[in-house]
Amino acid sequence: MERVTAGKECLRFSVTERSSFLEEVLHGLRQEQKVLPCKYLYDARGSQLFEEICELDEYYPTRTELAIMNRSVDEMAAQIGEEVLLIEYGSGSGRKTRLLLDSLRAPTGYVPIDISGEMLAESAAVIENRYPDLTVSPICADYLSPVEIPSMDKPVRRRIVYFPGSTIGNFEPPEALEFLTRMVKQVGAGGGLLIGVDLRKDPAELERAYDDAEGVTANFNLNLLERINRELKADFAVEAFSHVAVWVRDLGRVEMRLVCNVACEVTIGGQVIGFRAGEYIHTENAYKYDVSEFESLAVKAGLSPRAVWTDTAEKFSVHYFAVSDDSC
């Protein structure tokens, strides 16, 4: 974990982080079904490509969530209350965060946590400039691991985790439950969670959202192989792989895959990994829920549903949960 000063670039991977990256890549590619952790999609280039994805016609989640927030953000702020410490996982560009901060009453502090240090520093600097009375404490870290939240000089009535963008869909359901449970412990008694959750819909629309006509999502996915080549001195022939997105109905998720078009071998960290023609690497899941299904999952984690907002077509939802009295 690394604290990032707003407006300054994050340092490059440490030796320890690079070793972990290598270990996770080799472990994933040795599985019968090859897999790579989706968190590694978000280096500086990947984060920029994801911001481009969010502007695509096919990618409905960002604009739909923004429309929900523009319509209902005052209601969200009323649920959250005043003098809160806002903790955001995977903060990205902070566009939706600014909408929320504009409506919150006297927020005490903002702690954005992101694995991409460069984007984190840029977005934190924007927040600092826009809200000069707000204490901004950006943390460059993998939020899947325990993160220590800094104390504030001003009074904090409650901690609130903000987790927009349907990122919870990247988790297997048991992992999502574990993650939500950890959020409960982090915010503690009286705390809350404001979270974006993508809803189930027509499979064709889902597949288009993750495999756009311009190929931006393909570049985003393939960038993971380029990153492995660059940072781990691997020799992927990136042009031999193709991006696909598939709706898996029985599991309720979209899978992003990198399909190897020809049989080949790749050397990573002195280890040789073989690929058969047509074999694929599973890089990301995007689970889709219905409202009651996600609320049931959150209740198991110790959260109490307080409000939910959706668009008129019910494509996307934003939920507010309070920590249950008997959870802490």
Side-chain angles (χ1 to χ4, degrees):
M1 183 174 68
E2 178 182 359
R3 185 71 58 80
V4 177
T5 302
K8 297 186 183 296
E9 291 189 358
C10 181
L11 298 177
R12 295 180 180 274
F13 266 7
S14 69
V15 173
T16 302
E17 289 168 325
R18 187 174 291 109
S19 175
S20 176
F21 184 21
L22 176 61
E23 289 173 5
E24 291 188 66
V25 167
L26 288 175
H27 175 75
L29 295 181
R30 288 182 182 130
Q31 305 305 308
E32 183 176 352
Q33 170 55 69
K34 291 180 169 62
V35 62
L36 288 171
C38 65
K39 65 184 179 181
Y40 290 120
L41 290 163
Y42 296 91
D43 64 349
R45 173 64 175 154
S47 296
Q48 180 57 49
L49 285 167
F50 182 71
E51 292 300 316
E52 293 178 23
I53 289 169
C54 291
E55 301 299 324
L56 294 170
D57 289 342
E58 297 97 328
Y59 195 76
Y60 63 86
T62 301
R63 65 173 176 272
T64 308
E65 186 176 20
L66 278 168
I68 293 169
M69 293 199 68
N70 274 310
R71 186 181 68 246
S72 303
V73 70
D74 288 343
E75 296 175 17
M76 298 175 191
Q79 287 283 344
I80 290 170
E82 60 186 66
E83 293 183 341
V84 300
L85 173 60
L86 190 68
I87 304 163
E88 183 172 6
Y89 292 166
S91 53
S93 67
R95 183 177 176 186
K96 284 169 277 193
T97 314
R98 294 192 293 274
L99 274 175
L100 183 58
L101 287 171
D102 282 345
S103 293
L104 287 177
R105 183 177 176 184
T108 296
Y110 172 57
V111 180
I113 305 168
D114 203 287
I115 199 169
S116 175
E118 294 173 44
M119 176 161 286
L120 175 65
E122 291 174 7
S123 62
V126 171
I127 296 290
E128 277 193 335
N129 289 333
R130 182 162 176 164
Y131 309 96
D133 295 331
L134 184 70
T135 300
V136 180
S137 302
I139 298 175
C140 181
D142 175 6
Y143 57 73
L144 299 180
S145 301
V147 177
E148 182 180 351
I149 303 301
S151 58
M152 298 287 115
D153 294 332
K154 300 176 183 177
V156 175
R157 291 200 179 188
R158 65 176 57 89
R159 289 181 171 189
I160 300 292
V161 165
Y162 182 39
F163 198 41
S166 75
T167 307
I168 193 66
N170 296 152
F171 295 86
E172 299 280 356
E175 295 171 339
L177 176 58
E178 180 182 354
F179 188 63
L180 291 170
T181 302
R182 185 146 44 86
M183 286 184 179
V184 167
K185 292 179 180 177
Q186 186 165 73
V187 298
L193 167 65
L194 186 67
I195 185 170
V197 180
D198 199 11
L199 303 177
R200 294 186 181 181
K201 57 188 67 65
D202 178 58
E205 183 176 9
L206 287 169
E207 290 182 349
R208 286 195 300 271
Y210 293 87
D211 193 5
D212 61 278
E214 294 181 31
V216 181
T217 313
N219 290 337
F220 171 69
N221 207 9
L222 288 163
N223 179 67
L224 178 53
L225 302 185
E226 294 174 355
R227 178 181 185 183
I228 292 170
N229 280 350
R230 183 176 63 254
E231 297 186 21
L232 301 180
K233 310 302 180 187
D235 59 358
F236 273 103
V238 178
E239 66 277 4
F241 289 79
S242 299
H243 162 77
V244 298
V246 179
W247 169 249
V248 184
R249 183 182 299 274
D250 291 347
L251 297 176
R253 73 188 189 195
V254 177
E255 291 184 5
M256 287 209 326
R257 303 171 178 175
L258 290 171
V259 180
C260 185
N261 299 310
V262 294
C264 64
E265 291 184 340
V266 177
T267 302
I268 309 171
Q271 304 293 312
V272 177
I273 306 293
F275 287 84
R276 302 183 304 274
E279 187 175 14
Y280 68 86
I281 307 170
H282 183 178
T283 57
E284 188 173 60
N285 289 323
Y287 278 88
K288 309 302 173 184
Y289 293 88
D290 61 40
V291 168
S292 61
E293 181 184 19
F294 188 77
E295 286 182 341
S296 296
L297 181 68
V299 167
K300 291 178 182 178
L303 292 162
S304 176
R306 293 297 174 85
V308 60
W309 302 268
T310 66
D311 57 295
T312 54
E314 297 191 344
K315 291 184 177 184
F316 198 92
S317 59
V318 179
H319 298 249
Y320 180 70
F321 297 96
V323 172
S324 301
D325 292 338
D326 57 354
S327 297
C328 297

